[in-house]
Amino acid sequence: MRSKRCIAMCLAGGEGRRLGPLTHHLAKPAVHFGGKYRIIDFTLSNCTNSGIDTVGVLTQYEPLVLNSYIGIGSAWDLDRKDGGVTVLPPFVEQQGGNWYKGTANAIYRNMAFIERYDPEYVLVISGDHIYKMDYERMLHFHRTRNADATIAVIQVDWKDASRFGILATNERDQVIDFAEKPAKPQSNLASMGVYMFNWKTLKAYLQQDEANKLSSNDFGKDIIPAMLFEGTRVFAYPFEGYWKDVGTIDSLWEANMDLLADEPTLDLFDDRWRIYSQNTYQPPQYIAPQARVTRSMVNEGCTVYGEVDHSVLFYGSHVAPGALVRDSVIMPNAVIGAGAVVIRAIVGEGATVTDGCSIGHPTGDITLIASDQWVRKGVLA
Amino acid sequence: MRSKRCIAMCLAGGEGRRLGPLTHHLAKPAVHFGGKYRIIDFTLSNCTNSGIDTVGVLTQYEPLVLNSYIGIGSAWDLDRKDGGVTVLPPFVEQQGGNWYKGTANAIYRNMAFIERYDPEYVLVISGDHIYKMDYERMLHFHRTRNADATIAVIQVDWKDASRFGILATNERDQVIDFAEKPAKPQSNLASMGVYMFNWKTLKAYLQQDEANKLSSNDFGKDIIPAMLFEGTRVFAYPFEGYWKDVGTIDSLWEANMDLLADEPTLDLFDDRWRIYSQNTYQPPQYIAPQARVTRSMVNEGCTVYGEVDHSVLFYGSHVAPGALVRDSVIMPNAVIGAGAVVIRAIVGEGATVTDGCSIGHPTGDITLIASDQWVRKGVLA
Amino acid sequence: MKHMMGVINCIQERVDLGALTAHRCVAAVPFGGRYRLIDFVLSNMVNSGIEDVAVLTEDNVRPLMDHLGSGKEWDLDRKRGGLFVLPSNGHGKRASDIEQLRAHRDFFHRGTQEYVVIARSHIVCNVDLRRVLHAHEQSGADVTALYYCTTEDVDASFDIDAFGRIAAMHASPKGLVLKNAPIDVYMMRKSWLLDVIDEPQGAISVEQRILERLHDVRVYAYCVDAYVGIIDSITSYYRHSMALLQPDVLRELFFRGAPIYTKVKDEPPTKYADASHVHNALIANGCIINGCVENSIIFRGVRIHAGAVVRNSIVMQNGEISEHAHVQHAILDKEVYVEAEHNVVGTADAPHVVPKKKVHAIA
Amino acid sequence: MKHMMGVINCIQERVDLGALTAHRCVAAVPFGGRYRLIDFVLSNMVNSGIEDVAVLTEDNVRPLMDHLGSGKEWDLDRKRGGLFVLPSNGHGKRASDIEQLRAHRDFFHRGTQEYVVIARSHIVCNVDLRRVLHAHEQSGADVTALYYCTTEDVDASFDIDAFGRIAAMHASPKGLVLKNAPIDVYMMRKSWLLDVIDEPQGAISVEQRILERLHDVRVYAYCVDAYVGIIDSITSYYRHSMALLQPDVLRELFFRGAPIYTKVKDEPPTKYADASHVHNALIANGCIINGCVENSIIFRGVRIHAGAVVRNSIVMQNGEISEHAHVQHAILDKEVYVEAEHNVVGTADAPHVVPKKKVHAIA
């Protein structure tokens, strides 16, 4: 085993409870996004594109889909001789096992995995977020600042600031204060949940934190505050660009719609920073003679006979003749029947909106059709 | 995901308690054998050589070494697009997790994994045994007998029969009786712990067995007796050749010594049935001018300056000038110091027998030096 | 469970696709929006359980090697066996397939398979070779030759007797009768093939050896009851491309049988603008479509700008059609750039072919 | 973290290894019991973080392609980048490296790396190219050329000035003076290489372009302070093979730096019989040794029967030395069979070379 300079630990156990039926049998990082991706594709692709070839993916909630999706990692070029991607569910000892207590506990319990690679730096990221980021640049920042820990930060709207971990920094980007979801935020610099640590420093803090019975074993609530309290060098790495935590049905819908702008902030067409995903071996999309497709993203394997406007269609979805899909997200292999109308909705994987059925409203909450559901005429979704 | 005709489930959670310090931090299937192998190499290679390309490896005791050893499965050509090898540790639900209760419970709890491949047949094997077997022939036997379950059997010495699961068969090889470790064995046909099942039948029995609170959830003790009781078609597939369950230090030593015969029953040199293992990138073995090597198996990466007779040397082991190694097994990266004498011993991975030190006895029990141990002169191991 | 090995013969091609094969072999010609011709035969083999495939190559092999890579996309990056690209001898002399097979004789000795399937790459279809193997074993044939039934004009037709054996082959059968057209796929025992390779007075090719001696070689026929596209000219290339716009054909090739694999490019989904007009088109991923597309096949990464019109055409990978350009009855090879307000126009019978990377700026 | 790409030049070799290179290129010549020559340079590149390697090939490429396979053994079976075997144009005309690099120009444009390392395959050493990169960046050179210091006779020697710049190169320096012998490894910016490739009045090779214009190209020297074996004749092949029997050399090549990767064959450990006499030998796996082996290199899968004697020799893969045969000062290519009681004898200065697969039955 060659030693690695920097390895990544990706937290992918999130339940995503506010995503409702979409995450009944799916961890949040496995949720579909953007016509062909799952959310975790973004962090895994970021790793590969940043030259990080060793990634531990920490699963716990509904790990089977993620496990099978990640496979041996070849989709992200992470099927490596040394390193590559390893799925790390919580470990069961003879006396039993339990879920990770918090984000820091999750890393603590996988220290043996980390030490196998003898890394200088450990990058801790979340599989829940949609963004493109060059972690190598962040590492460069971390090294030039001679930091022990570096937190990636993004400026958020002041009105939203109290929903995030908010940092205060001095003129050298050193973090002087950190507050988790403060009622009165001191700044609008929010933590993105992307941390670069010197492994030796982190290891000591993880051990100390684990010994503290009162700790919630969380990076934001415990580790970072302890580091700041003890004067450890923590820096803030400023990030600009698209970053979204799609925590709710509305924000998932919104993030999909964001892609339909003429020049979306999140550019999926950039050949120098590809977002990789598992391939499903579909033929090109077929747009029938009578179809109409405008302002939309449509994936391979779709067959469109009806009208699609301002929508995102995943692979294998089918829009029958006379159907209208507008302002909607149609998940993989969903079927929109002849003459059906779908407005401002998310139609789950494999769901069917039968012929002539109408769902969704031009205003108000987004309508959600759960995976594999049949929606019949006259039965409101 | 393409459906698979036959997939294998390999039970690899064994503690191997009677192997003492060798299995302190190692599951039994991960124990070293034969100069370059680990025990599980035999079953994994059997799968590949039999054309089975989908294998679930069920771990629980000390799974980290096995997990890292198996990696993405490329050593056994099991890094496949669909299927390949998947390590399956016990699963932790939100309310906690625990070890597999028995062999049948282990398969029961991984039904979701099996169903992903929609197989007709499921082969259940153990990662603890050393043998070469063509499972495709066994499947052929199973199909021609129109069996629901087939158990591979081997004739054992009558005196050992009461240590095994013993079967009684009729003239058509159908099993008419099965007794787990019978005091008075009816035959000397022992179960090898290799089972071929029609998945539909097995699934029904697993569900029924799981519902029975009194069951120990074990194939030999519960599932097979239940099948026989209910008249399900169970057949015995006769196997001839080398088969060994290396349960003790003595039998592990013996199995290694077996390889040193002129024509060992277990032929590792057969190019048509290679035993694959992880490669360690060692140069060829170096035999020094003053060295003497007779009746031994020596692996790449060894450096021999002393005398080696009737022994097995693993990769990276070093025998210094003037040392004598006889009737012994020297595990990876172990060092035998100058003038040291090692007789009838197993020297664990990375252990050191220092200069001039003498261990082992020409008769009696095999001496065991645990992994990474230092044996100094005057200190009896 | 490994009974068959595959050989894809990319040498001595009788196929001329003009500019499309100027810098690549037939096997590497792009087809169907995201594939290369070889993907079909290679996927058929892999889907039928074949895990050893040899590709016999001649000139211009680089685009093919780039496409096949390590064979990973077809799960052929195996430890033993897998994909072998067998190069020509490199001394500039063109070898026949028999000579090349003889030079790589050891390849056939290594594998333990009993049967060999020899095929060419210019046939587009989705066929399960395990069924062919079953028929081959049932019939006791030396060789099983695959064919399909058609009323169109073809190069040759088999005469098949009541037992399924091929009695004779006719060249260029005419008229609207039903012909049994060979598709250049043959199944045989490996030992039979090795005997042919070692014959001292050898035939020029394995195919010739089979078809010239129908009296002493027991050749049985196997009918492929599915869509078959034989791509042997620009006209047939164009015709079979356009056929993909028929939902039935699309279904037969891609959705009825096992999947067709190809090199993955990780392109994002295709994006349509407010003004896009797309009707009757097959469109791969990674395109941005602002203009009008009708009755056309659009490959990965194509840009069609506002006001541009593409009709009855094929635009290959990374093509760019600028504002208000018109492309009609044309085949644009990879990375062709059509300048704004320029026209590229052919006819239905003779589509205009634009070579790779050409900047098209003729008014 | 990907800064460099690698080019291994296997064309226009100036190396003649007689029978060993009759049917394979120099890169594919077996060396050191289980390797091929190319394993050393390829492993050096991979161990230095290079993830894109192009191998320029000419004739007899099949053994090399078989050895490299999908590149998996070197972790070069990558999605983007990885191992590229760049074939010759196939039209029988031999291209220079500059011509071939020009033909595959797109390969260099694809990668985002800033630097290129160009090397040949006949140099055996274990060197960390990241250190070379560091020195290259510090010196501000156009090109950094690697060399080693030796008192032996070599083809050429660099004159190096006080700042490390190469002022001149002398051909065939004589005498027991210390020479700065080039090892045909050059590091440069990719952009610099692309400029050279595109020069209209081009040099014959990149190397020539560098070394003929030392006045206007800033070429700095980097000294390899480790064992270097230049394999350019049967004599040097034999000498550097035998050098592996010195524990110091073995350590420098295989244990001091990163590992040398090669194609895995999954051979079992080697087996010694009661009567085996083995002294001062390097022996790979999969052998069965019943006879006597002294001062020799034994490759994988060799059988040495009872009473046979192998001295001062190299026996390559799957060789078989029958009962009471004598092999002395000989190099046996792969799969050579020496009959019982026959002798194969050469001299220390002129080892007897037996070609691949030959059955040796001369009494």
Side-chain angles (χ1 to χ4, degrees):
Chain A
M1 195 76 67
R2 283 183 267 174
S3 75
K4 303 277 182 185
R5 197 167 68 139
C6 178
I7 74 170
M9 299 294 277
C10 176
L11 300 158
E15 266 186 87
R17 248 174 255 182
R18 286 174 302 154
L19 287 172
L22 281 182
T23 50
H24 268 175
H25 297 288
L26 218 57
K28 188 171 150 194
V31 166
H32 295 285
F33 171 76
K36 74 176 287 195
Y37 309 98
R38 291 183 189 258
I39 293 173
I40 198 170
D41 287 334
F42 288 84
T43 36
L44 292 179
S45 301
N46 285 342
C47 286
T48 295
N49 290 330
S50 304
I52 294 175
D53 63 11
T54 305
V55 184
V57 176
L58 289 80
T59 61
Q60 64 185 7
Y61 175 74
E62 292 290 344
L64 290 183
V65 173
L66 262 183
N67 206 344
S68 141
Y69 181 70
I70 290 172
I72 62 173
S74 35
W76 307 271
D77 206 24
L78 289 170
D79 52 333
R80 305 301 295 254
K81 271 180 94 70
D82 283 346
V85 64
T86 308
V87 176
L88 301 165
F91 180 84
V92 183
E93 309 250 7
Q94 190 148 17
Q95 57 275 29
N98 46 51
W99 273 19
Y100 297 128
K101 280 180 282 174
T103 51
N105 174 254
I107 305 296
Y108 174 82
R109 282 163 62 183
N110 285 287
M111 287 207 309
F113 171 82
I114 295 172
E115 300 253 275
R116 237 157 68 190
Y117 300 99
D118 187 25
E120 245 179 286
Y121 307 101
V122 171
L123 175 72
V124 177
I125 50 183
S126 159
D128 285 357
H129 301 154
I130 295 170
Y131 63 112
K132 301 193 324 189
M133 181 172 177
D134 189 342
Y135 302 131
E136 197 185 359
R137 282 202 203 168
M138 182 177 178
L139 178 59
H140 181 77
F141 173 97
H142 179 83
R143 285 158 54 95
T144 53
R145 295 307 195 285
N146 200 16
D148 288 304
T150 297
I151 306 172
V153 294
I154 188 167
Q155 295 206 343
V156 294
D157 279 352
W158 277 97
K159 66 175 169 56
D160 297 328
S162 55
R163 284 173 37 214
F164 295 94
I166 294 295
L167 293 86
T169 57
N170 66 18
E171 70 288 352
R172 289 184 312 280
D173 295 319
Q174 187 163 358
V175 178
I176 48 175
D177 196 22
F178 178 90
E180 189 70 38
K181 299 184 184 166
K184 289 185 183 168
Q186 286 195 345
S187 85
N188 64 341
L189 277 186
S191 163
M192 296 166 63
V194 175
Y195 307 95
M196 182 71 74
F197 295 105
N198 293 354
W199 171 234
K200 270 188 203 158
T201 311
L202 177 60
K203 189 178 166 184
Y205 275 96
L206 288 177
Q207 286 167 331
Q208 172 189 317
D209 180 65
E210 195 67 20
N212 177 1
K213 300 279 178 218
L214 300 174
S215 171
S216 57
N217 306 121
D218 185 89
F219 278 102
K221 294 188 197 119
D222 309 290
I223 300 286
I224 300 298
M227 284 182 167
L228 290 175
F229 181 76
E230 294 176 19
T232 299
R233 290 172 64 82
V234 181
F235 282 76
Y237 173 71
F239 173 81
E240 283 175 19
Y242 193 89
W243 178 79
K244 198 146 196 171
D245 178 349
V246 286
T248 63
I249 295 292
D250 279 14
S251 68
L252 177 65
W253 177 83
E254 221 173 78
N256 276 286
M257 294 301 122
D258 285 346
L259 296 171
L260 301 177
D262 269 326
E263 297 199 355
T265 330
L266 182 72
D267 180 10
L268 297 173
F269 281 79
D270 182 2
D271 188 53
R272 292 160 309 173
W273 204 271
R274 271 281 177 254
I275 304 305
Y276 300 107
S277 66
Q278 279 294 6
N279 198 272
T280 51
Y281 315 115
Q282 305 277 341
Q285 52 203 273
Y286 173 68
I287 313 294
Q290 70 275 35
R292 195 182 144 80
V293 183
T294 46
R295 182 61 65 192
S296 292
M297 283 192 88
V298 181
N299 197 2
E300 285 166 348
C302 294
T303 45
V304 180
Y305 291 79
E307 186 177 344
V308 175
D309 180 49
H310 200 257
S311 294
V312 174
L313 269 59
F314 282 73
Y315 53 85
S317 61
H318 175 77
V319 178
L324 168 66
V325 174
R326 178 165 289 149
D327 303 332
S328 294
V329 179
I330 312 297
M331 296 280 198
N333 302 315
V335 174
I336 312 301
V341 177
V342 175
I343 308 277
R344 276 170 59 86
I346 296 179
V347 179
E349 188 167 359
T352 301
V353 178
T354 54
D355 294 359
C357 181
S358 176
I359 63 162
H361 309 279
T363 55
D365 282 351
I366 301 303
T367 302
L368 177 71
I369 309 296
S371 301
D372 299 316
Q373 208 177 318
W374 271 71
V375 185
R376 274 182 295 268
K377 207 171 175 176
V379 180
L380 260 178
Chain B
M1 195 76 67
R2 282 183 269 174
S3 76
K4 303 278 182 184
R5 196 167 68 139
C6 177
I7 74 169
M9 298 295 277
C10 176
L11 300 157
E15 264 186 89
R17 249 176 253 182
R18 288 174 302 155
L19 287 172
L22 282 182
T23 50
H24 268 174
H25 296 288
L26 218 56
K28 188 170 151 197
V31 167
H32 294 285
F33 171 77
K36 74 176 287 192
Y37 308 97
R38 292 185 189 258
I39 294 174
I40 199 171
D41 287 334
F42 288 83
T43 35
L44 292 180
S45 300
N46 285 342
C47 286
T48 296
N49 290 330
S50 304
I52 294 175
D53 64 11
T54 305
V55 184
V57 177
L58 288 79
T59 61
Q60 64 184 7
Y61 175 73
E62 291 291 344
L64 289 183
V65 173
L66 263 183
N67 206 344
S68 141
Y69 181 68
I70 291 172
I72 62 173
S74 34
W76 307 271
D77 206 24
L78 289 170
D79 52 332
R80 305 301 295 254
K81 272 182 94 71
D82 281 348
V85 63
T86 308
V87 177
L88 300 165
F91 181 84
V92 182
E93 309 251 5
Q94 189 147 18
Q95 59 273 31
N98 46 51
W99 274 19
Y100 297 128
K101 279 181 283 174
T103 50
N105 174 254
I107 305 296
Y108 173 83
R109 280 164 62 184
N110 285 287
M111 288 206 310
F113 171 81
I114 295 172
E115 301 255 273
R116 237 158 66 188
Y117 300 99
D118 187 26
E120 244 179 286
Y121 307 102
V122 171
L123 175 72
V124 176
I125 50 184
S126 159
D128 284 358
H129 301 156
I130 295 170
Y131 64 110
K132 301 194 322 190
M133 182 172 175
D134 189 341
Y135 303 131
E136 196 186 0
R137 282 202 204 169
M138 181 176 178
L139 178 58
H140 181 76
F141 173 98
H142 179 83
R143 285 158 54 95
T144 53
R145 295 306 194 284
N146 199 16
D148 288 306
T150 297
I151 305 173
V153 294
I154 189 168
Q155 295 207 342
V156 294
D157 280 353
W158 277 97
K159 66 175 168 56
D160 296 331
S162 55
R163 285 173 36 215
F164 295 94
I166 294 295
L167 292 87
T169 56
N170 66 17
E171 69 289 351
R172 291 184 312 278
D173 295 318
Q174 188 163 358
V175 178
I176 49 176
D177 195 22
F178 179 89
E180 189 70 36
K181 299 184 184 166
K184 290 184 183 169
Q186 285 195 345
S187 84
N188 65 341
L189 277 187
S191 163
M192 296 166 64
V194 175
Y195 306 96
M196 183 71 74
F197 294 105
N198 293 354
W199 171 235
K200 269 188 203 157
T201 310
L202 177 60
K203 189 178 167 186
Y205 275 96
L206 288 177
Q207 286 168 331
Q208 172 189 318
D209 180 66
E210 195 66 22
N212 176 1
K213 298 280 178 218
L214 300 174
S215 171
S216 56
N217 306 121
D218 184 90
F219 279 101
K221 296 190 196 117
D222 308 290
I223 299 287
I224 300 298
M227 284 183 167
L228 290 174
F229 182 76
E230 294 176 18
T232 299
R233 291 172 64 81
V234 182
F235 282 75
Y237 172 71
F239 173 80
E240 283 176 19
Y242 193 90
W243 178 79
K244 201 147 196 167
D245 179 349
V246 286
T248 63
I249 295 291
D250 280 14
S251 68
L252 178 64
W253 177 83
E254 223 172 75
N256 277 285
M257 293 302 122
D258 285 347
L259 296 171
L260 301 177
D262 268 328
E263 296 199 356
T265 330
L266 182 71
D267 180 10
L268 296 174
F269 281 79
D270 181 2
D271 188 52
R272 291 160 309 172
W273 203 271
R274 273 279 177 256
I275 303 304
Y276 300 105
S277 66
Q278 277 295 5
N279 197 271
T280 52
Y281 314 115
Q282 305 278 340
Q285 50 203 274
Y286 173 67
I287 314 294
Q290 70 275 33
R292 194 181 144 80
V293 183
T294 46
R295 182 61 63 194
S296 292
M297 283 193 88
V298 181
N299 196 3
E300 286 167 347
C302 293
T303 44
V304 180
Y305 290 79
E307 186 179 342
V308 175
D309 179 50
H310 200 256
S311 295
V312 175
L313 269 60
F314 281 74
Y315 54 84
S317 60
H318 175 76
V319 178
L324 168 66
V325 174
R326 178 164 288 149
D327 303 331
S328 294
V329 179
I330 312 297
M331 296 280 198
N333 302 315
V335 174
I336 313 301
V341 177
V342 175
I343 309 278
R344 276 171 61 84
I346 295 178
V347 179
E349 187 167 359
T352 301
V353 178
T354 55
D355 294 359
C357 183
S358 174
I359 63 161
H361 309 280
T363 55
D365 281 352
I366 301 304
T367 303
L368 177 71
I369 309 297
S371 301
D372 299 316
Q373 207 177 320
W374 272 71
V375 185
R376 274 182 295 267
K377 208 172 174 175
V379 181
L380 261 179
Chain C
M1 303 185 186
K2 292 156 76 175
H3 299 300
M4 298 181 276
M5 60 195 301
V7 173
I8 302 176
N9 183 1
C10 302
I11 67 181
Q12 295 179 303
E13 290 284 2
R14 297 176 308 257
V15 172
D16 179 11
L17 301 184
L20 300 183
T21 46
H23 297 287
R24 55 168 85 90
C25 54
V26 175
V29 167
F31 184 82
R34 60 195 295 270
Y35 305 96
R36 305 260 187 170
L37 284 176
I38 198 174
D39 291 340
F40 292 87
V41 58
L42 196 53
S43 299
N44 286 338
M45 287 181 172
V46 168
N47 289 328
S48 306
I50 292 180
E51 298 191 354
D52 291 70
V53 179
V55 181
L56 305 183
T57 64
E58 213 168 49
D59 296 345
N60 293 325
V61 68
R62 167 84 193 287
L64 183 62
M65 284 174 69
D66 269 9
H67 179 68
L68 297 175
S70 66
K72 216 186 245 188
E73 307 288 2
W74 296 267
D75 202 24
L76 288 174
D77 57 330
R78 303 268 54 85
K79 222 177 142 87
R80 291 184 153 199
L83 183 71
F84 292 89
V85 176
L86 300 181
S88 64
N89 62 14
H91 294 298
K93 200 170 66 79
R94 300 226 177 150
S96 72
D97 64 349
I98 288 202
E99 284 172 313
Q100 205 168 344
L101 290 171
R102 194 183 294 138
H104 298 297
R105 219 180 174 292
D106 55 327
F107 171 76
F108 295 95
H109 283 290
R110 268 191 236 164
T112 55
Q113 299 87 343
E114 219 175 319
Y115 298 97
V116 180
V117 179
I118 300 190
R120 288 191 172 273
S121 62
H122 66 289
I123 313 286
V124 172
C125 68
N126 193 331
V127 58
D128 188 341
L129 297 167
R130 283 172 297 198
R131 292 187 183 199
V132 181
L133 177 61
H134 184 73
H136 181 79
E137 286 181 326
Q138 295 291 314
S139 70
D142 295 318
V143 175
T144 297
L146 277 65
Y147 73 98
Y148 75 111
C149 292
T150 180
T151 54
E152 291 177 18
D153 281 352
V154 290
D155 285 347
S157 178
F158 289 143
D159 273 1
I160 302 168
D161 74 12
F163 304 100
R165 181 168 170 180
I166 300 177
M169 193 176 82
H170 298 289
S172 306
K174 292 283 174 226
L176 266 176
V177 293
L178 205 63
K179 294 130 200 164
N180 301 318
I183 64 165
D184 296 358
V185 180
Y186 301 95
M187 180 173 295
M188 64 205 75
R189 265 184 199 282
K190 192 166 74 180
S191 54
W192 190 91
L193 178 65
L194 286 172
D195 287 348
V196 168
I197 288 173
D198 285 342
E199 273 174 22
Q201 71 300 22
I204 293 172
S205 71
V206 176
E207 194 176 351
Q208 194 200 37
R209 174 68 184 77
I210 294 168
L211 297 176
E212 283 187 352
R213 298 207 217 154
L214 291 171
H215 58 282
D216 72 348
V217 181
R218 291 166 53 82
V219 185
Y220 278 67
Y222 180 95
C223 182
V224 176
D225 184 21
Y227 184 78
V228 171
I230 298 191
I231 314 291
D232 55 2
S233 64
I234 283 288
T235 324
S236 58
Y237 176 85
Y238 182 72
R239 186 157 47 90
H240 289 293
S241 294
M242 290 302 153
L244 298 173
L245 296 173
Q246 301 164 30
D248 285 358
V249 173
L250 199 65
R251 202 174 307 120
E252 283 209 34
L253 274 179
F254 298 107
F255 293 107
R256 210 180 67 167
I260 304 298
Y261 305 105
T262 189
K263 187 174 179 183
V264 170
K265 304 250 179 181
D266 296 292
E267 296 277 0
T270 277
K271 202 162 164 187
Y272 297 79
D274 290 329
S276 73
H277 284 273
V278 180
H279 304 288
N280 201 33
L282 203 61
I283 300 183
N285 269 359
C287 298
I288 297 181
I289 299 188
N290 290 290
C292 167
V293 177
E294 278 179 30
N295 311 323
S296 294
I297 314 285
I298 310 294
F299 281 66
R300 292 185 276 204
V302 168
R303 299 283 179 279
I304 295 175
H305 291 275
V309 176
V310 176
R311 276 203 190 97
N312 305 305
S313 293
I314 298 164
V315 182
M316 293 190 194
Q317 201 181 316
N318 297 330
E320 183 160 358
I321 317 298
S322 306
E323 285 78 3
H324 303 290
H326 272 245
V327 175
Q328 203 151 339
H329 289 113
I331 301 175
L332 275 49
D333 203 331
K334 287 171 73 175
E335 295 167 46
V336 165
Y337 177 76
V338 180
E339 282 203 354
E341 302 188 18
H342 286 77
N343 299 330
V344 182
V345 179
T347 66
D349 295 334
H352 187 108
V353 181
V354 183
K356 187 173 166 185
K357 287 193 181 171
K358 187 156 177 204
V359 175
H360 212 286
I362 313 151
Chain D
M1 303 183 186
K2 293 157 75 176
H3 299 300
M4 298 181 276
M5 60 194 302
V7 173
I8 301 177
N9 182 1
C10 301
I11 65 179
Q12 294 179 306
E13 290 284 1
R14 297 176 308 257
V15 172
D16 179 10
L17 301 185
L20 300 183
T21 44
H23 297 287
R24 55 169 84 90
C25 54
V26 176
V29 168
F31 184 82
R34 59 195 296 271
Y35 305 95
R36 306 260 188 170
L37 284 175
I38 198 173
D39 292 340
F40 292 86
V41 58
L42 195 52
S43 299
N44 287 338
M45 287 180 171
V46 168
N47 289 328
S48 306
I50 292 180
E51 298 191 353
D52 291 70
V53 179
V55 181
L56 305 183
T57 64
E58 210 166 51
D59 296 345
N60 293 326
V61 69
R62 167 84 193 285
L64 183 62
M65 283 173 69
D66 269 9
H67 178 68
L68 297 175
S70 65
K72 215 187 244 188
E73 307 287 2
W74 296 267
D75 203 23
L76 289 174
D77 57 330
R78 303 267 54 84
K79 222 177 141 89
R80 290 185 153 199
L83 183 69
F84 291 88
V85 176
L86 301 181
S88 64
N89 61 15
H91 295 298
K93 200 170 64 80
R94 300 225 178 152
S96 72
D97 64 348
I98 288 202
E99 283 172 314
Q100 206 169 344
L101 290 171
R102 193 182 296 137
H104 299 297
R105 220 180 174 293
D106 55 329
F107 170 77
F108 295 95
H109 283 289
R110 269 192 236 164
T112 55
Q113 298 88 344
E114 217 175 321
Y115 297 97
V116 180
V117 180
I118 300 191
R120 287 192 172 271
S121 62
H122 66 290
I123 313 285
V124 171
C125 68
N126 193 329
V127 59
D128 188 340
L129 297 168
R130 282 171 298 197
R131 292 188 184 199
V132 181
L133 177 61
H134 184 74
H136 181 79
E137 286 181 327
Q138 294 291 314
S139 71
D142 294 319
V143 175
T144 296
L146 278 64
Y147 73 99
Y148 76 111
C149 291
T150 180
T151 55
E152 292 176 18
D153 281 353
V154 290
D155 284 348
S157 177
F158 290 143
D159 274 0
I160 302 168
D161 74 14
F163 304 101
R165 179 168 172 181
I166 300 177
M169 190 176 81
H170 298 289
S172 307
K174 292 284 173 222
L176 266 176
V177 295
L178 205 63
K179 294 131 200 162
N180 301 318
I183 65 166
D184 296 357
V185 180
Y186 301 94
M187 181 173 294
M188 63 205 74
R189 263 181 203 282
K190 192 166 76 179
S191 55
W192 190 90
L193 179 65
L194 286 172
D195 286 348
V196 168
I197 289 173
D198 286 340
E199 274 175 21
Q201 71 297 26
I204 294 172
S205 71
V206 176
E207 195 176 352
Q208 194 200 36
R209 175 68 183 77
I210 293 167
L211 297 176
E212 282 186 353
R213 300 208 214 153
L214 291 171
H215 59 283
D216 71 349
V217 182
R218 293 166 52 82
V219 185
Y220 278 67
Y222 180 94
C223 183
V224 175
D225 184 20
Y227 184 79
V228 171
I230 298 192
I231 315 291
D232 55 2
S233 64
I234 283 289
T235 323
S236 59
Y237 176 84
Y238 182 71
R239 186 157 49 87
H240 288 294
S241 293
M242 290 303 153
L244 298 174
L245 296 173
Q246 300 164 30
D248 285 359
V249 173
L250 199 64
R251 202 174 306 121
E252 282 210 34
L253 274 179
F254 297 108
F255 293 107
R256 210 179 68 167
I260 304 297
Y261 305 104
T262 189
K263 186 175 178 181
V264 170
K265 303 252 180 183
D266 295 292
E267 296 278 359
T270 277
K271 201 164 166 186
Y272 298 79
D274 290 330
S276 73
H277 284 273
V278 180
H279 304 289
N280 201 33
L282 203 62
I283 299 183
N285 270 0
C287 299
I288 296 181
I289 300 188
N290 290 290
C292 168
V293 178
E294 278 178 31
N295 310 324
S296 294
I297 314 286
I298 310 294
F299 282 68
R300 293 185 276 205
V302 167
R303 300 283 178 276
I304 295 176
H305 291 276
V309 176
V310 176
R311 276 203 189 97
N312 305 306
S313 293
I314 297 163
V315 182
M316 294 188 193
Q317 200 182 319
N318 298 331
E320 181 158 1
I321 318 296
S322 306
E323 285 78 3
H324 303 290
H326 272 245
V327 175
Q328 203 152 339
H329 290 114
I331 300 174
L332 276 50
D333 203 331
K334 287 171 73 174
E335 295 166 46
V336 165
Y337 177 75
V338 180
E339 282 202 356
E341 303 189 16
H342 285 78
N343 299 330
V344 182
V345 179
T347 66
D349 294 335
H352 186 107
V353 181
V354 183
K356 186 173 167 185
K357 288 193 180 168
K358 189 159 174 201
V359 174
H360 211 286
I362 312 151

